[in-house]
Amino acid sequence: MNQRARIAMSEAEVTAFVRESRKLQLGTINPDGTPHLVTMFYGLVGDRIAFWTYGKAQKTRNLERDPRVTCLIEAGDDYFELRGVLVYGTARLIDAREEVLDVGMAVTARMPGVGDAVDELREYVVHTGRKRVAYVVEPTRVVSWDHRKLATPASA
């Protein structure tokens, strides 16, 4: 077995990692073809990554033109701690007001420090959601790695 295959996460490991994480790097394509990268908090709609953003944001304009996205979720500081999931896919627009708010609530519920107070933030989500749209990422390819599966130099 090659090293790439040794460090790949199983489907269950990918699902757990995506559920446990909160932020991702979102890549869209600028008009000149260069990547536009931003850090986003995200939620889940079923098992799909979902995020919301302002309707006039650069990422929104990019997605209107080309819905292809790349999402990177990663963790770890030391080489032998590095884990990540890279999702290539298409961002499907959600613009029905109630569905946008559902995504907003899903994102908000996963933010640090929110815990059980998520219902108390609904008014904020409704207020800020007036100018937002949401997206669900439909994956076309998923790549993962977990360097914890490698032998560390001390144990080799």
Side-chain angles (χ1 to χ4, degrees):
M1 177 184 302
N2 69 30
Q3 186 157 307
R4 176 78 198 105
R6 278 184 47 211
I7 65 172
M9 292 185 200
S10 69
E11 188 174 328
E13 290 170 326
V14 167
T15 299
F17 184 71
V18 170
R19 285 193 189 287
E20 294 165 5
S21 301
R22 294 183 173 128
K23 294 184 300 184
L24 56 75
Q25 299 293 316
L26 174 71
T28 60
I29 303 168
N30 281 318
D32 65 359
T34 58
H36 179 260
L37 295 171
V38 294
T39 301
M40 302 283 299
F41 284 103
Y42 68 93
L44 296 170
V45 171
D47 61 349
R48 302 280 195 250
I49 292 169
F51 60 91
W52 70 338
T53 187
Y54 289 101
K56 294 186 179 184
Q58 184 63 52
K59 66 186 107 23
T60 303
R61 292 182 176 171
N62 290 346
L63 291 170
E64 287 170 350
R65 193 180 53 264
D66 186 337
R68 291 178 296 167
V69 294
T70 302
C71 301
L72 170 64
I73 304 167
E74 52 130 12
D77 292 319
D78 180 81
Y79 182 80
F80 291 101
E81 297 172 351
L82 295 178
R83 297 180 296 153
V85 171
L86 188 59
V87 178
Y88 298 97
T90 302
R92 178 173 47 87
L93 176 66
I94 306 279
D95 58 0
R97 200 60 8 219
E98 199 56 40
E99 291 179 62
V100 171
L101 295 179
D102 289 345
V103 170
M105 289 300 291
V107 171
T108 301
R110 294 165 48 88
M111 294 180 78
V114 171
D116 294 333
V118 69
D119 289 332
E120 297 168 20
L121 294 171
R122 183 158 184 79
E123 188 175 319
Y124 164 78
V125 170
V126 169
H127 175 74
T128 191
R130 293 176 303 155
K131 296 181 180 182
R132 292 184 182 241
V133 295
Y135 294 91
V136 173
V137 177
E138 302 295 344
T140 55
R141 182 174 168 222
V142 177
V143 178
S144 65
W145 57 93
D146 185 347
H147 286 196
R148 298 173 309 171
K149 295 179 179 186
L150 298 172
T152 61
S155 65

